[in-house]
Amino acid sequence: MIPDSPPLALTQAQAGVLLGQHLAGNADVFYAAEYTELRGPLEPTLFMEALHATLAEADSLRFRLIDTDDGPRQLPIIAPVPIPLLVAAEDLDETEFLAELSRQSRQAFASEDGFLYEHRLYRRAAERYVWLHRAHHLLLDGYGFQLIARRTAARYAELVAGNGPVSAEFGNLAAVVDADLAYQNSAAREADRQYWLDTLVGLAPKSLCRNPIRGIGRGRRVGGVLPDTVVTRLKTRAVELDLSWPELLIAGFAGYLAQFGHGDDAVLGLTTMLRASGAAARTPCTAMNVMPLPFVHDWDRPLAEIGSKLRQDLARHRPHQRYRFEHLEFDLEQAGYPPGLLGTEINIMPFQAPTRFGPCEAMTRTLAAGPVEDLAAVFMARGDVIVLDLDGRIENYDEPALRDHWQHIVGFLAQILA
Protein backbone atom coordinates (compact mmCIF):
# COMPACT_ATOMS: atom_id res chain seq x y z
CA MET A 1 0.00 0.00 0.00
CA ILE A 2 1.26 3.46 -0.93
CA PRO A 3 0.51 6.51 1.21
CA ASP A 4 -1.87 8.83 -0.64
CA SER A 5 -1.08 11.92 1.44
CA PRO A 6 0.41 12.87 4.80
CA PRO A 7 -1.43 11.65 7.91
CA LEU A 8 -4.55 13.57 8.81
CA ALA A 9 -5.77 14.50 12.28
CA LEU A 10 -8.81 12.69 13.56
CA THR A 11 -12.03 14.66 13.65
CA GLN A 12 -13.44 15.11 17.12
CA ALA A 13 -16.24 12.73 16.17
CA GLN A 14 -13.66 10.06 15.37
CA ALA A 15 -11.67 10.81 18.51
CA GLY A 16 -14.89 10.38 20.50
CA VAL A 17 -15.43 6.96 18.94
CA LEU A 18 -11.91 5.87 19.90
CA LEU A 19 -12.41 7.14 23.45
CA GLY A 20 -15.76 5.38 23.74
CA GLN A 21 -14.27 2.18 22.38
CA HIS A 22 -11.56 2.34 25.03
CA LEU A 23 -14.10 2.96 27.80
CA ALA A 24 -16.39 0.18 26.56
CA GLY A 25 -13.45 -2.23 26.31
CA ASN A 26 -15.00 -3.83 23.25
CA ALA A 27 -14.51 -2.65 19.67
CA ASP A 28 -17.59 -4.32 18.23
CA VAL A 29 -19.85 -2.13 20.37
CA PHE A 30 -19.02 0.53 17.75
CA TYR A 31 -19.85 -1.63 14.74
CA ALA A 32 -22.93 -0.47 12.84
CA ALA A 33 -24.84 -2.50 10.27
CA GLU A 34 -27.95 -2.35 8.15
CA TYR A 35 -29.46 -4.66 5.58
CA THR A 36 -31.54 -3.88 2.52
CA GLU A 37 -33.98 -6.37 1.09
CA LEU A 38 -34.17 -6.14 -2.71
CA ARG A 39 -37.20 -7.68 -4.39
CA GLY A 40 -37.48 -7.88 -8.16
CA PRO A 41 -35.34 -8.70 -11.22
CA LEU A 42 -32.02 -7.69 -9.68
CA GLU A 43 -28.93 -8.12 -11.84
CA PRO A 44 -26.27 -9.06 -9.26
CA THR A 45 -23.32 -8.33 -11.55
CA LEU A 46 -24.50 -4.78 -12.21
CA PHE A 47 -25.35 -4.26 -8.54
CA MET A 48 -21.84 -5.31 -7.53
CA GLU A 49 -20.39 -3.02 -10.19
CA ALA A 50 -22.44 -0.08 -8.90
CA LEU A 51 -21.49 -0.76 -5.27
CA HIS A 52 -17.80 -1.24 -6.08
CA ALA A 53 -17.69 2.04 -8.03
CA THR A 54 -19.39 3.85 -5.14
CA LEU A 55 -16.85 2.53 -2.65
CA ALA A 56 -13.96 3.44 -4.95
CA GLU A 57 -15.28 7.00 -5.13
CA ALA A 58 -15.32 7.42 -1.32
CA ASP A 59 -11.74 8.20 -0.29
CA SER A 60 -13.05 8.84 3.25
CA LEU A 61 -13.45 5.06 3.69
CA ARG A 62 -9.79 4.18 3.13
CA PHE A 63 -7.31 5.00 5.86
CA ARG A 64 -5.16 3.30 8.47
CA LEU A 65 -4.92 4.47 12.06
CA ILE A 66 -1.35 5.14 13.11
CA ASP A 67 0.23 6.29 16.39
CA THR A 68 2.34 9.44 16.28
CA ASP A 69 4.00 11.70 18.85
CA ASP A 70 0.91 13.91 18.56
CA GLY A 71 -1.50 11.05 19.16
CA PRO A 72 -3.50 8.87 16.76
CA ARG A 73 -3.70 9.96 13.15
CA GLN A 74 -5.38 8.58 10.03
CA LEU A 75 -3.22 7.76 7.05
CA PRO A 76 -5.10 7.82 3.73
CA ILE A 77 -4.07 4.88 1.56
CA ILE A 78 -4.25 3.76 -2.02
CA ALA A 79 -5.34 0.15 -2.18
CA PRO A 80 -7.68 -1.93 -4.32
CA VAL A 81 -11.25 -1.68 -3.05
CA PRO A 82 -12.38 -5.12 -1.88
CA ILE A 83 -14.96 -6.77 -4.11
CA PRO A 84 -18.28 -7.24 -2.24
CA LEU A 85 -19.09 -10.86 -1.53
CA LEU A 86 -21.96 -12.70 -3.23
CA VAL A 87 -23.30 -15.36 -0.87
CA ALA A 88 -25.87 -18.08 -1.58
CA ALA A 89 -28.41 -18.25 1.26
CA GLU A 90 -31.44 -19.94 -0.27
CA ASP A 91 -31.30 -22.84 2.19
CA LEU A 92 -31.57 -20.72 5.35
CA ASP A 93 -34.97 -20.08 6.89
CA GLU A 94 -35.72 -16.56 8.16
CA THR A 95 -34.61 -17.24 11.73
CA GLU A 96 -31.34 -18.78 10.59
CA PHE A 97 -30.76 -15.98 8.10
CA LEU A 98 -31.30 -13.20 10.64
CA ALA A 99 -28.93 -15.02 13.00
CA GLU A 100 -26.36 -15.10 10.18
CA LEU A 101 -26.73 -11.35 9.63
CA SER A 102 -26.37 -10.69 13.35
CA ARG A 103 -23.29 -12.92 13.51
CA GLN A 104 -21.67 -11.15 10.58
CA SER A 105 -22.38 -7.72 12.07
CA ARG A 106 -20.06 -8.51 14.98
CA GLN A 107 -17.13 -9.89 12.98
CA ALA A 108 -13.84 -8.04 13.44
CA PHE A 109 -12.58 -5.83 10.62
CA ALA A 110 -9.14 -6.16 9.03
CA SER A 111 -8.11 -2.73 10.29
CA GLU A 112 -4.44 -3.30 9.41
CA ASP A 113 -5.47 -3.28 5.75
CA GLY A 114 -7.21 0.06 6.11
CA PHE A 115 -10.74 -1.25 5.59
CA LEU A 116 -13.25 -0.88 8.38
CA TYR A 117 -16.27 -1.88 6.31
CA GLU A 118 -17.69 -4.90 4.52
CA HIS A 119 -20.48 -5.59 2.03
CA ARG A 120 -22.25 -8.84 1.27
CA LEU A 121 -25.05 -9.59 -1.17
CA TYR A 122 -27.07 -12.63 -0.14
CA ARG A 123 -29.12 -14.49 -2.74
CA ARG A 124 -32.33 -15.66 -1.01
CA ALA A 125 -34.39 -16.55 -4.09
CA ALA A 126 -34.57 -15.81 -7.81
CA GLU A 127 -35.92 -12.29 -7.26
CA ARG A 128 -35.00 -11.72 -3.64
CA TYR A 129 -31.59 -10.53 -2.48
CA VAL A 130 -30.37 -8.98 0.77
CA TRP A 131 -27.53 -6.47 0.87
CA LEU A 132 -25.63 -6.33 4.17
CA HIS A 133 -23.60 -3.18 4.80
CA ARG A 134 -21.57 -2.95 7.98
CA ALA A 135 -18.92 -0.47 9.08
CA HIS A 136 -17.07 0.81 12.11
CA HIS A 137 -18.44 4.10 13.45
CA LEU A 138 -14.99 5.59 12.85
CA LEU A 139 -16.02 5.57 9.19
CA LEU A 140 -19.75 6.15 9.03
CA ASP A 141 -22.70 7.39 11.03
CA GLY A 142 -26.32 6.82 10.03
CA TYR A 143 -26.31 9.56 7.41
CA GLY A 144 -23.02 8.25 6.01
CA PHE A 145 -24.68 4.87 5.49
CA GLN A 146 -27.45 6.62 3.55
CA LEU A 147 -25.01 8.46 1.30
CA ILE A 148 -23.49 5.11 0.28
CA ALA A 149 -26.92 3.57 -0.28
CA ARG A 150 -28.27 6.46 -2.35
CA ARG A 151 -25.18 6.64 -4.51
CA THR A 152 -25.24 2.89 -5.13
CA ALA A 153 -28.93 3.01 -6.04
CA ALA A 154 -28.31 5.87 -8.49
CA ARG A 155 -25.37 4.09 -10.11
CA TYR A 156 -27.30 0.83 -10.40
CA ALA A 157 -30.27 2.57 -12.04
CA GLU A 158 -27.93 4.13 -14.61
CA LEU A 159 -26.26 0.80 -15.36
CA VAL A 160 -29.59 -0.96 -15.78
CA ALA A 161 -30.73 1.79 -18.15
CA GLY A 162 -27.53 1.40 -20.16
CA ASN A 163 -26.35 4.96 -19.50
CA GLY A 164 -22.76 6.04 -19.16
CA PRO A 165 -20.86 6.47 -15.86
CA VAL A 166 -22.18 9.11 -13.48
CA SER A 167 -19.94 11.93 -12.32
CA ALA A 168 -18.34 11.91 -8.88
CA GLU A 169 -20.35 13.52 -6.07
CA PHE A 170 -18.64 12.66 -2.78
CA GLY A 171 -16.57 15.15 -0.85
CA ASN A 172 -13.18 14.16 0.53
CA LEU A 173 -11.96 13.36 4.00
CA ALA A 174 -9.29 16.10 4.14
CA ALA A 175 -11.93 18.82 3.75
CA VAL A 176 -13.98 17.32 6.60
CA VAL A 177 -10.89 17.25 8.85
CA ASP A 178 -10.00 20.87 7.97
CA ALA A 179 -13.50 22.09 8.80
CA ASP A 180 -13.44 20.23 12.12
CA LEU A 181 -10.04 21.65 13.07
CA ALA A 182 -11.22 25.17 12.22
CA TYR A 183 -14.09 24.83 14.71
CA GLN A 184 -11.97 23.21 17.42
CA ASN A 185 -9.52 26.15 17.23
CA SER A 186 -12.22 28.85 17.11
CA ALA A 187 -13.64 31.14 19.78
CA ALA A 188 -17.07 29.70 18.97
CA ARG A 189 -16.10 26.39 20.58
CA GLU A 190 -15.52 27.94 24.00
CA ALA A 191 -18.68 30.03 23.67
CA ASP A 192 -20.67 26.88 22.89
CA ARG A 193 -19.13 25.08 25.84
CA GLN A 194 -20.11 27.85 28.24
CA TYR A 195 -23.59 28.06 26.76
CA TRP A 196 -24.29 24.42 27.60
CA LEU A 197 -22.85 24.65 31.11
CA ASP A 198 -25.11 27.62 31.78
CA THR A 199 -28.17 26.04 30.15
CA LEU A 200 -27.91 22.74 32.01
CA VAL A 201 -27.12 24.15 35.45
CA GLY A 202 -29.02 22.38 38.22
CA LEU A 203 -30.42 19.61 36.03
CA ALA A 204 -30.13 15.88 36.67
CA PRO A 205 -30.55 12.82 34.42
CA LYS A 206 -33.80 10.95 33.94
CA SER A 207 -34.14 7.37 32.72
CA LEU A 208 -36.86 4.81 32.01
CA CYS A 209 -34.71 2.39 34.02
CA ARG A 210 -35.04 2.75 37.79
CA ASN A 211 -31.35 2.12 38.51
CA PRO A 212 -29.45 2.58 35.23
CA ILE A 213 -25.82 1.56 34.93
CA ARG A 214 -23.89 4.53 33.59
CA GLY A 215 -21.36 4.36 30.81
CA ILE A 216 -21.24 2.96 27.28
CA GLY A 217 -22.49 -0.45 26.26
CA ARG A 218 -24.12 -2.58 23.62
CA GLY A 219 -27.75 -1.98 22.81
CA ARG A 220 -30.65 -4.42 22.58
CA ARG A 221 -33.09 -3.43 19.82
CA VAL A 222 -36.86 -3.77 19.76
CA GLY A 223 -38.94 -2.02 17.14
CA GLY A 224 -41.81 -1.88 14.73
CA VAL A 225 -43.95 0.31 12.51
CA LEU A 226 -46.13 2.92 14.17
CA PRO A 227 -49.86 2.32 13.55
CA ASP A 228 -51.22 4.12 10.49
CA THR A 229 -53.72 5.97 12.67
CA VAL A 230 -50.93 7.43 14.81
CA VAL A 231 -48.84 8.47 11.78
CA THR A 232 -51.81 10.08 10.06
CA ARG A 233 -52.79 11.94 13.20
CA LEU A 234 -49.17 13.00 13.81
CA LYS A 235 -48.85 14.58 10.36
CA THR A 236 -52.30 16.18 10.53
CA ARG A 237 -51.65 17.70 13.95
CA ALA A 238 -48.25 18.98 12.81
CA VAL A 239 -49.93 20.97 10.04
CA GLU A 240 -52.64 22.22 12.40
CA LEU A 241 -50.08 23.40 14.94
CA ASP A 242 -47.63 24.79 12.36
CA LEU A 243 -44.95 22.37 13.55
CA SER A 244 -42.99 19.61 11.84
CA TRP A 245 -43.82 16.00 12.64
CA PRO A 246 -40.29 15.45 14.03
CA GLU A 247 -40.86 18.31 16.47
CA LEU A 248 -44.10 16.70 17.63
CA LEU A 249 -42.38 13.33 18.09
CA ILE A 250 -39.62 14.94 20.16
CA ALA A 251 -42.22 16.65 22.36
CA GLY A 252 -44.19 13.42 22.66
CA PHE A 253 -41.24 11.28 23.67
CA ALA A 254 -40.02 13.94 26.09
CA GLY A 255 -43.49 13.95 27.64
CA TYR A 256 -43.37 10.17 28.02
CA LEU A 257 -39.94 10.38 29.69
CA ALA A 258 -41.12 13.20 31.94
CA GLN A 259 -44.17 11.30 33.17
CA PHE A 260 -42.88 7.74 33.35
CA GLY A 261 -39.11 8.10 33.80
CA HIS A 262 -37.17 7.90 37.04
CA GLY A 263 -35.30 11.01 38.15
CA ASP A 264 -35.88 14.73 38.56
CA ASP A 265 -35.69 16.29 35.10
CA ALA A 266 -36.38 15.49 31.47
CA VAL A 267 -33.16 16.03 29.54
CA LEU A 268 -32.94 14.35 26.17
CA GLY A 269 -29.87 13.79 24.06
CA LEU A 270 -31.03 14.81 20.56
CA THR A 271 -28.99 13.23 17.77
CA THR A 272 -27.95 15.89 15.25
CA MET A 273 -26.52 15.14 11.80
CA LEU A 274 -24.31 18.28 11.51
CA ARG A 275 -24.73 17.93 7.75
CA ALA A 276 -26.58 21.16 6.85
CA SER A 277 -23.75 22.36 4.63
CA GLY A 278 -20.04 22.09 4.02
CA ALA A 279 -17.84 19.11 3.19
CA ALA A 280 -19.52 16.72 5.62
CA ALA A 281 -22.86 17.09 3.80
CA ARG A 282 -21.42 15.29 0.75
CA THR A 283 -18.89 13.00 2.40
CA PRO A 284 -19.51 9.48 3.75
CA CYS A 285 -18.02 9.89 7.21
CA THR A 286 -18.97 10.07 10.86
CA ALA A 287 -20.03 13.54 11.96
CA MET A 288 -23.19 13.21 14.08
CA ASN A 289 -23.33 14.71 17.53
CA VAL A 290 -25.72 14.57 20.50
CA MET A 291 -27.21 17.90 21.53
CA PRO A 292 -28.73 18.35 25.01
CA LEU A 293 -32.41 19.18 25.01
CA PRO A 294 -33.65 20.03 28.52
CA PHE A 295 -37.40 20.01 29.20
CA VAL A 296 -38.77 21.86 32.20
CA HIS A 297 -42.27 22.37 30.80
CA ASP A 298 -45.60 22.01 32.53
CA TRP A 299 -46.92 18.90 30.81
CA ASP A 300 -50.52 19.78 31.66
CA ARG A 301 -50.41 22.61 29.11
CA PRO A 302 -51.87 22.14 25.60
CA LEU A 303 -49.74 20.33 23.06
CA ALA A 304 -49.67 23.46 20.90
CA GLU A 305 -47.93 25.43 23.65
CA ILE A 306 -45.46 22.64 24.39
CA GLY A 307 -44.62 22.27 20.69
CA SER A 308 -44.20 26.03 20.25
CA LYS A 309 -41.86 26.21 23.24
CA LEU A 310 -39.88 23.28 21.85
CA ARG A 311 -39.44 25.07 18.54
CA GLN A 312 -38.12 28.14 20.34
CA ASP A 313 -35.73 26.01 22.40
CA LEU A 314 -34.40 24.24 19.31
CA ALA A 315 -33.80 27.55 17.55
CA ARG A 316 -31.85 28.80 20.57
CA HIS A 317 -29.80 25.59 20.98
CA ARG A 318 -28.90 24.81 17.35
CA PRO A 319 -26.17 27.45 16.93
CA HIS A 320 -24.28 25.64 19.72
CA GLN A 321 -24.78 22.04 18.54
CA ARG A 322 -21.22 21.55 17.24
CA TYR A 323 -19.72 21.24 20.72
CA ARG A 324 -19.04 17.52 21.11
CA PHE A 325 -21.17 15.65 23.62
CA GLU A 326 -18.12 13.60 24.75
CA HIS A 327 -16.43 16.83 25.81
CA LEU A 328 -19.61 18.17 27.36
CA GLU A 329 -20.23 15.10 29.50
CA PHE A 330 -16.67 15.41 30.84
CA ASP A 331 -17.18 19.13 31.47
CA LEU A 332 -20.45 18.49 33.30
CA GLU A 333 -18.96 15.89 35.60
CA GLN A 334 -15.97 18.13 36.31
CA ALA A 335 -18.43 20.87 37.24
CA GLY A 336 -20.22 18.55 39.66
CA TYR A 337 -23.22 17.53 37.58
CA PRO A 338 -24.60 14.01 38.03
CA PRO A 339 -23.18 11.52 35.48
CA GLY A 340 -25.26 10.31 32.58
CA LEU A 341 -27.16 13.54 31.88
CA LEU A 342 -27.47 12.70 28.16
CA GLY A 343 -28.12 9.00 28.67
CA THR A 344 -31.68 9.01 27.23
CA GLU A 345 -31.56 9.92 23.54
CA ILE A 346 -33.93 10.51 20.65
CA ASN A 347 -32.93 10.28 17.01
CA ILE A 348 -35.31 11.46 14.29
CA MET A 349 -34.25 10.27 10.85
CA PRO A 350 -36.53 12.03 8.32
CA PHE A 351 -34.19 11.19 5.44
CA GLN A 352 -35.13 7.99 3.69
CA ALA A 353 -33.11 5.07 2.45
CA PRO A 354 -33.62 4.34 -1.27
CA THR A 355 -36.90 2.57 -1.91
CA ARG A 356 -35.92 1.40 -5.39
CA PHE A 357 -32.81 0.04 -7.05
CA GLY A 358 -33.77 0.23 -10.72
CA PRO A 359 -36.86 -1.98 -11.11
CA CYS A 360 -36.40 -3.56 -7.67
CA GLU A 361 -38.23 -2.53 -4.52
CA ALA A 362 -35.97 -1.92 -1.53
CA MET A 363 -36.58 -1.92 2.22
CA THR A 364 -33.76 -1.12 4.65
CA ARG A 365 -33.59 -2.08 8.30
CA THR A 366 -30.97 -1.23 10.92
CA LEU A 367 -29.24 -4.28 12.35
CA ALA A 368 -26.80 -2.62 14.77
CA ALA A 369 -26.70 1.10 15.52
CA GLY A 370 -23.63 1.24 17.73
CA PRO A 371 -23.28 2.00 21.44
CA VAL A 372 -25.88 3.38 23.83
CA GLU A 373 -25.48 4.95 27.25
CA ASP A 374 -28.97 4.08 28.45
CA LEU A 375 -31.80 4.21 25.91
CA ALA A 376 -32.23 5.61 22.41
CA ALA A 377 -35.59 6.06 20.67
CA VAL A 378 -35.02 6.09 16.91
CA PHE A 379 -37.85 7.27 14.64
CA MET A 380 -37.22 6.58 10.93
CA ALA A 381 -39.26 7.62 7.92
CA ARG A 382 -39.76 4.72 5.50
CA GLY A 383 -42.01 5.87 2.69
CA ASP A 384 -45.43 6.60 4.17
CA VAL A 385 -44.67 4.76 7.42
CA ILE A 386 -42.62 5.69 10.48
CA VAL A 387 -40.61 3.05 12.28
CA LEU A 388 -39.82 3.32 15.99
CA ASP A 389 -36.83 1.34 17.23
CA LEU A 390 -35.78 1.32 20.88
CA ASP A 391 -32.12 0.62 21.59
CA GLY A 392 -31.73 -0.14 25.27
CA ARG A 393 -28.45 -0.88 26.96
CA ILE A 394 -28.51 -4.60 27.71
CA GLU A 395 -27.50 -4.04 31.35
CA ASN A 396 -30.49 -1.71 31.87
CA TYR A 397 -33.31 -3.20 29.77
CA ASP A 398 -34.35 -6.74 28.96
CA GLU A 399 -36.47 -7.46 25.89
CA PRO A 400 -39.85 -7.58 27.72
CA ALA A 401 -39.17 -4.17 29.28
CA LEU A 402 -38.33 -2.66 25.89
CA ARG A 403 -41.44 -4.16 24.30
CA ASP A 404 -43.58 -2.76 27.11
CA HIS A 405 -42.06 0.70 26.64
CA TRP A 406 -42.59 0.47 22.88
CA GLN A 407 -46.29 -0.25 23.35
CA HIS A 408 -46.68 2.42 26.01
CA ILE A 409 -44.88 5.07 23.93
CA VAL A 410 -47.18 4.37 20.99
CA GLY A 411 -50.23 4.57 23.26
CA PHE A 412 -48.94 7.80 24.83
CA LEU A 413 -48.41 9.37 21.39
CA ALA A 414 -51.91 8.37 20.32
CA GLN A 415 -53.35 9.93 23.49
CA ILE A 416 -51.60 13.30 23.28
CA LEU A 417 -52.23 13.62 19.53
CA ALA A 418 -55.93 13.20 20.21
Side-chain angles (χ1 to χ4, degrees):
M1 297 176 216
I2 304 171
D4 187 12
S5 65
L8 299 172
L10 299 182
T11 66
Q12 289 303 296
Q14 290 175 310
V17 169
L18 284 185
L19 173 62
Q21 184 173 286
H22 172 73
L23 294 176
N26 190 350
D28 67 16
V29 170
F30 281 85
Y31 295 172
E34 66 181 28
Y35 65 93
T36 301
E37 186 163 347
L38 301 163
R39 290 183 177 269
L42 185 78
E43 299 184 46
T45 301
L46 294 185
F47 177 87
M48 299 295 237
E49 182 180 340
L51 176 55
H52 190 264
T54 297
L55 299 174
E57 181 187 337
D59 82 323
S60 53
L61 302 183
R62 297 188 297 280
F63 62 82
R64 261 202 327 271
L65 289 178
I66 59 173
D67 291 322
T68 73
D69 292 340
D70 297 319
R73 293 291 183 268
Q74 49 190 334
L75 179 67
I77 61 172
I78 294 176
V81 175
I83 302 295
L85 297 174
L86 180 60
V87 182
E90 294 95 334
D91 295 336
L92 299 178
D93 64 28
E94 284 302 300
T95 300
E96 293 171 332
F97 181 64
L98 290 175
E100 161 67 12
L101 293 180
S102 180
R103 191 162 48 246
Q104 287 300 327
S105 72
R106 295 193 296 271
Q107 295 300 307
F109 293 105
S111 56
E112 66 278 1
D113 297 329
F115 293 102
L116 293 171
Y117 65 84
E118 184 187 48
H119 295 264
R120 293 180 174 225
L121 182 65
Y122 291 90
R123 185 175 60 247
R124 299 285 284 139
E127 293 196 350
R128 185 186 174 205
Y129 287 78
V130 174
W131 168 30
L132 173 65
H133 176 191
R134 66 188 196 94
H136 197 297
H137 262 306
L138 274 170
L139 288 191
L140 295 173
D141 54 19
Y143 190 73
F145 269 79
Q146 294 309 307
L147 287 177
I148 296 294
R150 293 178 191 176
R151 187 69 170 147
T152 301
R155 283 184 177 275
Y156 179 73
E158 293 296 314
L159 289 173
V160 170
N163 298 332
V166 293
S167 59
E169 290 185 353
F170 288 152
N172 64 71
L173 181 61
V176 175
V177 172
D178 288 344
D180 183 74
L181 287 174
Y183 172 71
Q184 298 303 326
N185 294 321
S186 70
R189 180 184 184 278
E190 178 56 31
D192 293 342
R193 173 183 176 275
Q194 192 58 53
Y195 172 85
W196 290 118
L197 289 175
D198 293 343
T199 298
L200 300 173
V201 65
L203 298 182
K206 198 177 187 79
S207 171
L208 293 175
C209 175
R210 184 174 297 276
N211 295 299
I213 295 175
R214 307 295 181 185
I216 299 172
R218 182 187 302 283
R220 173 183 284 112
R221 172 161 287 210
V222 163
V225 175
L226 295 183
D228 291 342
T229 53
V230 173
V231 174
T232 299
R233 188 63 175 156
L234 171 71
K235 294 180 178 179
T236 300
R237 290 291 281 153
V239 173
E240 292 171 352
L241 300 177
D242 192 26
L243 297 168
S244 68
W245 65 260
E247 288 172 331
L248 273 188
L249 280 181
I250 294 169
F253 182 74
Y256 182 81
L257 178 65
Q259 293 197 28
F260 301 104
H262 305 280
D264 297 328
D265 306 296
V267 181
L268 284 179
L270 176 63
T271 301
T272 59
M273 295 191 302
L274 296 185
R275 293 303 217 299
S277 62
R282 297 184 301 108
T283 306
C285 62
T286 188
M288 58 75 63
N289 194 18
V290 179
M291 181 177 75
L293 189 56
F295 280 85
V296 289
H297 306 318
D298 178 1
W299 292 99
D300 292 329
R301 292 189 302 166
L303 182 61
E305 292 184 20
I306 294 174
S308 177
K309 180 62 166 60
L310 168 65
R311 172 168 283 188
Q312 295 171 17
D313 290 345
L314 287 172
R316 186 172 68 255
H317 297 332
R318 279 195 185 104
H320 307 282
Q321 65 182 329
R322 289 182 296 173
Y323 190 72
R324 295 297 308 175
F325 78 95
E326 301 96 341
H327 299 163
L328 179 58
E329 290 194 331
F330 176 80
D331 295 338
L332 292 172
E333 292 195 27
Q334 290 295 107
Y337 291 66
L341 189 64
L342 307 183
T344 304
E345 299 178 26
I346 185 169
N347 185 3
I348 308 286
M349 301 172 70
F351 55 85
Q352 296 190 39
T355 57
R356 300 201 70 85
F357 281 67
C360 299
E361 294 181 352
M363 175 61 75
T364 299
R365 291 289 292 171
T366 301
L367 189 64
V372 290
E373 291 192 21
D374 179 43
L375 179 81
V378 185
F379 293 89
M380 296 169 284
R382 293 291 184 263
D384 293 331
V385 306
I386 297 177
V387 176
L388 166 59
D389 284 341
L390 296 180
D391 281 335
R393 185 172 173 185
I394 59 175
E395 292 88 352
N396 295 345
Y397 303 90
D398 59 20
E399 185 168 330
L402 289 175
R403 293 198 180 280
D404 283 346
H405 280 303
W406 194 96
Q407 294 289 346
H408 293 155
I409 290 168
V410 172
F412 184 81
L413 290 174
Q415 178 183 348
I416 64 170
L417 292 171

